[in-house]
Amino acid sequence: MKTILIMRHGEAEPMQADDAARALTPRGVSQASEMALWIKAHYQPKAILVSPFIRAQQTAEQVIKHNPADYFEVCKDIVPSGDARFAIDYLETLMSLNPDIETWLLVAHMPIVSYLVDQLSPGDMPIFSTAGIAVIRYDEKNRKADFLKVVSPSL
């Protein structure tokens, strides 16, 4: 069994013309840091896929401070308008190529984070708070997933 953590970025600046350039607010940095410590205490992912958007990159930076990963990749498929089916196919390919990695973390955005959960565990489509994390147990052999919970920061 593998563990897949799907994380929404921390609180970001208001919408602007260049959505990809939106940065985290100070509160968003604090949320990401809090959840990075929660991840360290419970899961310690060894592989991280992150959206190329600035706010997701900044969230991943907080996670990496406390959870050094063996595998890190910027993944253009997990942007807000990305296709969850394609992203999960790619994740499953990466997992098969890296069988020793037990825990994977994806750092992305609404709405794709909800669609990723639904793609893995049909019928489960949680709404994520900023810096919220969905925890999924994944049976790689049978390609079956169980959505366990969403954990949100206290901030």
Side-chain angles (χ1 to χ4, degrees):
M1 291 291 263
K2 306 269 185 188
T3 300
I4 300 170
L5 305 172
I6 299 175
M7 182 178 192
R8 181 181 179 193
H9 61 78
E11 180 184 85
E13 298 170 334
M15 283 297 276
Q16 55 187 328
D18 183 4
D19 186 42
R22 291 172 50 215
L24 293 181
T25 64
R27 180 176 184 247
V29 173
S30 294
Q31 290 173 327
S33 181
E34 175 187 340
M35 296 310 291
L37 291 170
W38 180 86
I39 290 170
K40 180 181 181 179
H42 296 92
Y43 292 101
Q44 301 172 351
K46 294 299 178 193
I48 299 174
L49 298 180
V50 62
S51 160
F53 287 23
I54 297 299
R55 59 193 181 273
Q57 294 282 319
Q58 292 173 321
T59 299
E61 286 172 14
Q62 294 301 312
V63 173
I64 291 166
K65 281 182 186 179
H66 304 285
N67 300 278
D70 297 333
Y71 182 91
F72 178 88
E73 181 178 329
V74 174
C75 182
K76 64 181 173 37
D77 299 317
I78 55 175
V79 296
S81 62
D83 185 327
R85 291 171 298 187
F86 187 75
I88 294 302
D89 285 346
Y90 185 62
L91 174 62
E92 289 174 333
T93 299
L94 288 176
M95 288 191 299
S96 69
L97 294 172
N98 297 279
D100 294 339
I101 297 176
E102 296 295 323
T103 304
W104 292 76
L105 170 66
L106 285 72
V107 182
H109 317 265
M110 283 295 291
I112 196 166
V113 289
S114 293
Y115 295 141
L116 292 167
V117 173
D118 183 56
Q119 190 65 35
L120 287 163
S121 181
D124 290 312
M125 192 179 286
I127 301 299
F128 287 67
S129 65
T130 51
I133 300 171
V135 180
I136 297 167
R137 296 299 277 164
Y138 182 75
D139 179 347
E140 190 175 18
K141 182 179 175 186
N142 297 309
R143 297 181 69 185
K144 300 269 185 194
D146 292 314
F147 166 68
L148 302 179
K149 61 185 171 183
V150 171
V151 178
S152 298
S154 61
L155 301 171

Coordinates of all heavy atoms in Angstrom, one line a residue, residues 46-114:
K46 N 8.5 10.9 0.4 CA 9.8 10.8 -0.3 C 9.8 11.3 -1.7 O 10.8 11.4 -2.4 CB 10.4 9.4 -0.2 CG 10.7 9.0 1.2 CD 11.8 9.9 1.8 CE 12.1 9.6 3.3 NZ 12.8 10.6 3.9
A47 N 8.5 11.6 -2.2 CA 8.4 12.1 -3.5 C 7.4 13.3 -3.5 O 6.3 13.2 -2.9 CB 7.9 11.0 -4.5
I48 N 7.7 14.3 -4.2 CA 6.8 15.5 -4.3 C 6.6 15.9 -5.7 O 7.6 16.1 -6.4 CB 7.4 16.7 -3.4 CG1 7.5 16.2 -2.0 CG2 6.5 17.9 -3.6 CD1 8.2 17.3 -1.1
L49 N 5.4 16.1 -6.1 CA 5.0 16.7 -7.4 C 4.4 18.0 -7.0 O 3.5 18.1 -6.2 CB 4.1 15.8 -8.2 CG 4.5 14.4 -8.6 CD1 3.4 13.7 -9.3 CD2 5.8 14.5 -9.4
V50 N 4.8 19.1 -7.7 CA 4.2 20.4 -7.4 C 3.9 21.2 -8.7 O 4.6 21.1 -9.7 CB 5.2 21.2 -6.5 CG1 6.5 21.4 -7.2 CG2 4.6 22.5 -6.0
S51 N 2.8 21.9 -8.6 CA 2.4 22.8 -9.7 C 3.5 23.8 -10.0 O 4.2 24.2 -9.0 CB 1.1 23.5 -9.3 OG 0.9 24.6 -10.1
P52 N 3.6 24.3 -11.2 CA 4.6 25.4 -11.5 C 4.1 26.8 -11.0 O 4.9 27.7 -11.0 CB 4.7 25.4 -13.0 CG 3.4 24.8 -13.5 CD 2.9 23.8 -12.4
F53 N 2.9 26.9 -10.5 CA 2.4 28.2 -10.0 C 3.1 28.6 -8.8 O 3.4 27.8 -7.9 CB 0.9 28.2 -9.8 CG 0.1 28.2 -11.1 CD1 0.6 27.7 -12.3 CD2 -1.2 28.6 -11.0 CE1 -0.2 27.7 -13.4 CE2 -2.0 28.6 -12.1 CZ -1.5 28.1 -13.4
I54 N 3.4 29.9 -8.6 CA 4.2 30.4 -7.5 C 3.7 30.0 -6.1 O 4.5 29.5 -5.3 CB 4.4 31.9 -7.6 CG1 5.1 32.4 -8.8 CG2 5.0 32.5 -6.3 CD1 6.5 31.9 -9.0
R55 N 2.4 30.1 -5.9 CA 1.9 29.8 -4.6 C 2.0 28.3 -4.2 O 2.3 28.0 -3.0 CB 0.4 30.3 -4.5 CG -0.5 29.6 -5.5 CD -1.8 30.4 -5.5 NE -2.8 29.9 -6.4 CZ -2.9 30.2 -7.7 NH1 -2.0 31.0 -8.2 NH2 -3.8 29.7 -8.5
A56 N 2.0 27.4 -5.2 CA 2.2 26.0 -4.9 C 3.7 25.8 -4.7 O 4.0 25.0 -3.8 CB 1.7 25.2 -6.1
Q57 N 4.5 26.4 -5.4 CA 6.0 26.3 -5.2 C 6.4 26.8 -3.8 O 7.2 26.1 -3.1 CB 6.7 27.2 -6.3 CG 6.6 26.7 -7.7 CD 7.4 25.5 -8.0 OE1 8.6 25.4 -7.6 NE2 6.9 24.6 -8.7
Q58 N 5.8 27.9 -3.4 CA 6.1 28.4 -2.0 C 5.6 27.5 -0.9 O 6.2 27.3 0.1 CB 5.5 29.8 -1.9 CG 6.2 30.9 -2.7 CD 5.4 32.2 -2.6 OE1 4.2 32.2 -2.6 NE2 6.2 33.3 -2.6
T59 N 4.4 26.8 -1.2 CA 3.9 25.9 -0.2 C 4.9 24.7 -0.2 O 5.2 24.2 0.9 CB 2.5 25.4 -0.6 OG1 1.6 26.6 -0.6 CG2 1.9 24.4 0.3
A60 N 5.3 24.2 -1.3 CA 6.2 23.0 -1.4 C 7.5 23.4 -0.7 O 8.1 22.5 0.0 CB 6.4 22.6 -2.8
E61 N 8.0 24.6 -0.8 CA 9.2 25.0 -0.1 C 9.1 24.8 1.4 O 10.1 24.3 2.1 CB 9.5 26.5 -0.4 CG 10.1 26.7 -1.8 CD 10.2 28.2 -2.1 OE1 10.1 29.1 -1.2 OE2 10.3 28.5 -3.3
Q62 N 8.0 25.1 2.0 CA 7.8 25.0 3.4 C 7.8 23.5 3.8 O 8.3 23.1 4.8 CB 6.4 25.6 3.8 CG 6.4 27.1 3.7 CD 7.5 27.8 4.6 OE1 7.7 27.4 5.7 NE2 8.2 28.7 4.0
V63 N 7.2 22.7 2.9 CA 7.1 21.2 3.2 C 8.6 20.6 3.1 O 9.0 19.9 4.0 CB 6.2 20.5 2.2 CG1 6.3 19.0 2.3 CG2 4.8 20.9 2.3
I64 N 9.3 21.0 2.1 CA 10.7 20.5 1.9 C 11.6 20.9 3.0 O 12.5 20.1 3.4 CB 11.2 20.9 0.5 CG1 10.4 20.2 -0.6 CG2 12.7 20.6 0.4 CD1 10.6 20.7 -1.9
K65 N 11.4 22.0 3.7 CA 12.2 22.4 4.8 C 12.2 21.4 5.9 O 13.2 21.2 6.6 CB 11.7 23.7 5.4 CG 12.1 25.0 4.7 CD 11.5 26.2 5.4 CE 11.8 27.5 4.7 NZ 11.2 28.6 5.4
H66 N 11.1 20.7 6.1 CA 10.9 19.7 7.1 C 10.9 18.3 6.6 O 10.9 17.3 7.4 CB 9.6 20.0 7.9 CG 9.6 21.4 8.5 ND1 10.3 21.7 9.6 CD2 8.9 22.5 8.1 CE1 10.1 23.0 9.8 NE2 9.3 23.5 9.0
N67 N 10.8 18.1 5.3 CA 10.6 16.8 4.7 C 11.4 16.7 3.4 O 10.9 16.8 2.3 CB 9.1 16.6 4.3 CG 8.2 16.6 5.5 OD1 8.0 15.7 6.2 ND2 7.6 17.8 5.7
P68 N 12.7 16.5 3.5 CA 13.5 16.3 2.3 C 13.0 15.2 1.5 O 12.8 14.1 2.0 CB 14.9 16.1 2.8 CG 14.9 16.2 4.3 CD 13.5 16.3 4.7
A69 N 12.9 15.4 0.2 CA 12.4 14.3 -0.7 C 13.5 13.7 -1.5 O 14.4 14.4 -1.9 CB 11.3 14.9 -1.6
D70 N 13.3 12.5 -1.9 CA 14.3 11.8 -2.8 C 13.9 12.1 -4.2 O 14.8 12.0 -5.1 CB 14.2 10.3 -2.6 CG 14.6 9.8 -1.2 OD1 15.4 10.6 -0.6 OD2 14.2 8.8 -0.7
Y71 N 12.7 12.4 -4.5 CA 12.2 12.7 -5.8 C 11.4 14.0 -5.8 O 10.5 14.1 -4.9 CB 11.3 11.6 -6.3 CG 10.9 11.8 -7.8 CD1 11.6 11.3 -8.8 CD2 9.7 12.4 -8.0 CE1 11.2 11.5 -10.1 CE2 9.2 12.6 -9.3 CZ 10.0 12.1 -10.4 OH 9.6 12.3 -11.7
F72 N 11.7 14.9 -6.6 CA 10.9 16.2 -6.7 C 10.7 16.6 -8.2 O 11.7 16.5 -9.0 CB 11.7 17.3 -6.0 CG 11.0 18.7 -6.1 CD1 10.1 19.0 -5.1 CD2 11.3 19.5 -7.1 CE1 9.5 20.3 -5.2 CE2 10.7 20.8 -7.2 CZ 9.8 21.1 -6.2
E73 N 9.5 17.0 -8.5 CA 9.3 17.3 -9.9 C 8.2 18.4 -10.0 O 7.2 18.4 -9.3 CB 8.8 16.1 -10.7 CG 8.5 16.4 -12.1 CD 8.0 15.2 -12.9 OE1 8.5 14.1 -12.6 OE2 7.2 15.4 -13.9
V74 N 8.4 19.4 -10.8 CA 7.4 20.4 -11.1 C 6.6 19.8 -12.2 O 7.1 19.3 -13.2 CB 8.1 21.7 -11.6 CG1 7.0 22.7 -12.1 CG2 8.9 22.3 -10.5
C75 N 5.3 19.7 -11.9 CA 4.4 19.0 -12.8 C 3.3 19.9 -13.4 O 2.4 20.4 -12.6 CB 3.7 17.8 -12.0 SG 2.6 16.8 -13.0
K76 N 3.4 20.2 -14.7 CA 2.5 21.2 -15.3 C 1.0 20.7 -15.4 O 0.1 21.4 -15.7 CB 3.0 21.6 -16.6 CG 3.1 20.5 -17.7 CD 3.6 21.1 -19.0 CE 3.9 20.0 -20.0 NZ 3.1 18.9 -20.2
D77 N 0.8 19.4 -15.1 CA -0.5 18.8 -15.2 C -1.4 19.0 -14.0 O -2.6 18.7 -14.0 CB -0.4 17.3 -15.4 CG 0.4 17.0 -16.7 OD1 0.1 17.6 -17.7 OD2 1.2 16.1 -16.7
I78 N -0.8 19.6 -12.9 CA -1.6 19.8 -11.7 C -1.9 21.3 -11.4 O -1.9 21.7 -10.3 CB -1.0 19.0 -10.5 CG1 0.4 19.4 -10.2 CG2 -1.2 17.5 -10.7 CD1 1.0 18.7 -8.9
V79 N -2.1 22.0 -12.5 CA -2.5 23.4 -12.4 C -4.0 23.4 -12.2 O -4.7 22.4 -12.4 CB -2.0 24.2 -13.6 CG1 -0.5 24.3 -13.7 CG2 -2.6 23.7 -14.9
P80 N -4.6 24.6 -11.8 CA -6.1 24.6 -11.6 C -6.9 24.0 -12.7 O -7.9 23.4 -12.5 CB -6.4 26.1 -11.4 CG -5.1 26.7 -10.8 CD -4.0 25.9 -11.6
S81 N -6.5 24.3 -14.0 CA -7.3 23.8 -15.1 C -6.8 22.5 -15.6 O -7.3 22.0 -16.7 CB -7.3 24.9 -16.2 OG -5.9 25.0 -16.7
G82 N -6.0 21.8 -14.9 CA -5.4 20.5 -15.4 C -6.4 19.4 -15.4 O -7.5 19.5 -14.9
D83 N -6.1 18.4 -16.1 CA -7.0 17.2 -16.3 C -6.5 16.2 -15.2 O -5.4 15.6 -15.3 CB -6.8 16.6 -17.7 CG -7.8 15.5 -18.0 OD1 -8.1 14.7 -17.1 OD2 -8.2 15.3 -19.2
A84 N -7.4 15.9 -14.3 CA -7.1 15.0 -13.2 C -6.8 13.6 -13.7 O -5.9 12.9 -13.1 CB -8.2 15.0 -12.2
R85 N -7.5 13.1 -14.7 CA -7.3 11.8 -15.3 C -5.8 11.7 -15.8 O -5.2 10.7 -15.5 CB -8.2 11.5 -16.4 CG -9.7 11.3 -15.9 CD -10.6 11.2 -17.1 NE -10.5 12.5 -17.8 CZ -11.2 12.8 -18.8 NH1 -12.1 12.0 -19.3 NH2 -11.1 14.0 -19.4
F86 N -5.4 12.7 -16.5 CA -4.0 12.6 -17.0 C -3.0 12.7 -15.9 O -2.0 11.9 -15.9 CB -3.8 13.8 -18.0 CG -2.5 13.7 -18.7 CD1 -2.3 12.8 -19.8 CD2 -1.5 14.6 -18.3 CE1 -1.1 12.8 -20.4 CE2 -0.2 14.5 -19.0 CZ 0.0 13.6 -20.0
A87 N -3.3 13.5 -14.9 CA -2.3 13.7 -13.8 C -2.2 12.4 -13.0 O -1.1 12.0 -12.6 CB -2.8 14.8 -12.9
I88 N -3.3 11.7 -12.8 CA -3.3 10.4 -12.0 C -2.6 9.3 -12.8 O -1.8 8.5 -12.3 CB -4.7 10.0 -11.5 CG1 -5.2 11.0 -10.5 CG2 -4.7 8.6 -11.0 CD1 -4.4 11.2 -9.3
D89 N -2.9 9.3 -14.1 CA -2.1 8.3 -15.0 C -0.6 8.6 -14.9 O 0.2 7.6 -14.8 CB -2.5 8.5 -16.5 CG -3.9 7.9 -16.7 OD1 -4.4 7.1 -15.9 OD2 -4.4 8.2 -17.8
Y90 N -0.2 9.8 -14.9 CA 1.2 10.2 -14.8 C 1.7 9.7 -13.4 O 2.8 9.1 -13.3 CB 1.4 11.6 -15.0 CG 2.9 12.1 -15.0 CD1 3.7 11.5 -15.9 CD2 3.4 12.9 -14.1 CE1 5.1 11.9 -16.0 CE2 4.7 13.3 -14.1 CZ 5.6 12.8 -15.0 OH 6.9 13.1 -15.0
L91 N 1.0 10.0 -12.3 CA 1.4 9.6 -11.0 C 1.5 8.1 -10.9 O 2.5 7.6 -10.3 CB 0.4 10.1 -9.9 CG 0.6 9.7 -8.5 CD1 1.9 10.2 -8.0 CD2 -0.6 10.1 -7.6
E92 N 0.6 7.4 -11.4 CA 0.7 5.9 -11.4 C 1.9 5.4 -12.1 O 2.6 4.5 -11.7 CB -0.6 5.3 -11.9 CG -1.8 5.5 -11.0 CD -3.1 5.0 -11.6 OE1 -3.3 5.0 -12.8 OE2 -4.0 4.7 -10.8
T93 N 2.2 6.1 -13.2 CA 3.4 5.7 -14.0 C 4.7 6.0 -13.1 O 5.6 5.1 -13.0 CB 3.5 6.5 -15.3 OG1 2.4 6.1 -16.1 CG2 4.8 6.1 -16.0
L94 N 4.7 7.1 -12.5 CA 5.9 7.5 -11.6 C 6.0 6.5 -10.5 O 7.1 6.1 -10.1 CB 5.8 8.9 -11.1 CG 6.0 10.0 -12.1 CD1 5.7 11.4 -11.4 CD2 7.4 10.0 -12.6
M95 N 4.9 6.1 -9.9 CA 4.9 5.1 -8.8 C 5.4 3.8 -9.2 O 6.2 3.2 -8.5 CB 3.5 5.0 -8.1 CG 3.1 6.2 -7.3 SD 1.7 6.0 -6.3 CE 0.4 5.7 -7.5
S96 N 5.1 3.4 -10.4 CA 5.6 2.1 -10.9 C 7.1 2.1 -11.2 O 7.8 1.1 -11.1 CB 4.8 1.6 -12.1 OG 5.0 2.4 -13.3
L97 N 7.5 3.3 -11.6 CA 9.0 3.5 -11.9 C 9.8 3.7 -10.6 O 11.0 3.6 -10.7 CB 9.2 4.7 -12.8 CG 8.6 4.5 -14.3 CD1 8.7 5.9 -15.0 CD2 9.3 3.4 -15.0
N98 N 9.1 4.0 -9.5 CA 9.8 4.2 -8.3 C 9.1 3.4 -7.2 O 8.5 4.0 -6.2 CB 9.7 5.7 -7.9 CG 10.4 6.6 -8.9 OD1 11.6 6.8 -8.9 ND2 9.7 7.2 -9.8
P99 N 9.2 2.1 -7.3 CA 8.5 1.2 -6.4 C 8.9 1.3 -4.9 O 8.1 1.0 -4.0 CB 8.7 -0.2 -6.9 CG 10.0 -0.1 -7.7 CD 10.0 1.3 -8.2
D100 N 10.1 1.8 -4.6 CA 10.5 1.9 -3.2 C 9.9 3.2 -2.5 O 10.0 3.3 -1.3 CB 12.0 2.0 -3.2 CG 12.7 0.7 -3.6 OD1 12.0 -0.3 -3.6 OD2 13.9 0.7 -4.0
I101 N 9.3 4.1 -3.3 CA 8.8 5.3 -2.6 C 7.4 4.9 -2.2 O 6.5 4.6 -3.0 CB 8.8 6.5 -3.6 CG1 10.2 6.8 -3.9 CG2 8.1 7.7 -2.9 CD1 10.4 7.9 -4.9
E102 N 7.1 5.0 -0.9 CA 5.9 4.6 -0.3 C 4.9 5.8 -0.2 O 3.7 5.6 -0.2 CB 6.1 4.0 1.1 CG 6.9 2.7 1.1 CD 6.1 1.6 0.4 OE1 4.9 1.5 0.5 OE2 6.8 0.8 -0.3
T103 N 5.4 7.0 0.0 CA 4.5 8.1 0.2 C 4.8 9.2 -0.8 O 5.9 9.7 -0.9 CB 4.7 8.7 1.7 OG1 4.4 7.6 2.6 CG2 3.7 9.8 2.0
W104 N 3.7 9.7 -1.4 CA 3.8 10.7 -2.5 C 3.0 11.9 -2.0 O 1.9 11.8 -1.5 CB 3.2 10.2 -3.8 CG 4.1 9.1 -4.4 CD1 4.2 7.8 -4.0 CD2 5.0 9.3 -5.5 NE1 5.1 7.2 -4.8 CE2 5.6 8.0 -5.7 CE3 5.3 10.3 -6.3 CZ2 6.6 7.8 -6.7 CZ3 6.3 10.1 -7.3 CH2 6.9 8.9 -7.5
L105 N 3.5 13.1 -2.3 CA 2.8 14.4 -2.0 C 2.6 15.1 -3.3 O 3.6 15.3 -4.1 CB 3.6 15.2 -1.0 CG 3.1 16.6 -0.8 CD1 1.7 16.6 -0.1 CD2 4.1 17.4 0.0
L106 N 1.4 15.6 -3.6 CA 1.1 16.5 -4.7 C 0.6 17.8 -4.1 O -0.2 17.8 -3.3 CB 0.0 15.9 -5.6 CG 0.3 14.8 -6.5 CD1 0.5 13.5 -5.7 CD2 -0.7 14.6 -7.5
V107 N 1.3 18.9 -4.6 CA 0.9 20.2 -4.1 C 0.3 21.0 -5.3 O 1.0 21.2 -6.3 CB 2.1 21.0 -3.5 CG1 1.7 22.4 -3.0 CG2 2.8 20.2 -2.4
A108 N -1.0 21.3 -5.2 CA -1.7 21.9 -6.3 C -2.7 22.9 -5.8 O -2.5 23.6 -4.8 CB -2.3 20.8 -7.2
H109 N -3.8 23.0 -6.5 CA -4.8 24.1 -6.4 C -6.2 23.5 -6.4 O -6.5 22.4 -6.9 CB -4.7 25.0 -7.6 CG -3.3 25.4 -7.9 ND1 -2.7 26.5 -7.4 CD2 -2.4 24.8 -8.7 CE1 -1.5 26.6 -7.9 NE2 -1.3 25.5 -8.7
M110 N -7.2 24.3 -6.0 CA -8.6 24.1 -6.3 C -8.8 24.5 -7.7 O -8.2 25.5 -8.1 CB -9.5 24.9 -5.4 CG -9.7 24.3 -4.0 SD -10.4 22.7 -3.9 CE -12.1 23.0 -4.3
P111 N -9.6 23.8 -8.5 CA -10.4 22.7 -8.2 C -9.7 21.3 -8.4 O -10.2 20.3 -8.0 CB -11.6 22.8 -9.1 CG -11.0 23.4 -10.3 CD -10.0 24.4 -9.8
I112 N -8.5 21.3 -9.0 CA -7.9 20.0 -9.4 C -7.6 19.1 -8.2 O -7.8 17.9 -8.3 CB -6.7 20.2 -10.3 CG1 -6.4 18.8 -11.0 CG2 -5.5 20.7 -9.5 CD1 -5.4 18.8 -12.1
V113 N -7.4 19.7 -7.0 CA -7.1 18.8 -5.9 C -8.3 18.0 -5.6 O -8.2 16.8 -5.3 CB -6.6 19.6 -4.6 CG1 -5.2 20.1 -4.8 CG2 -7.6 20.7 -4.2
S114 N -9.5 18.5 -5.7 CA -10.8 17.8 -5.4 C -10.9 16.7 -6.5 O -11.3 15.6 -6.3 CB -12.0 18.7 -5.4 OG -11.9 19.5 -4.3

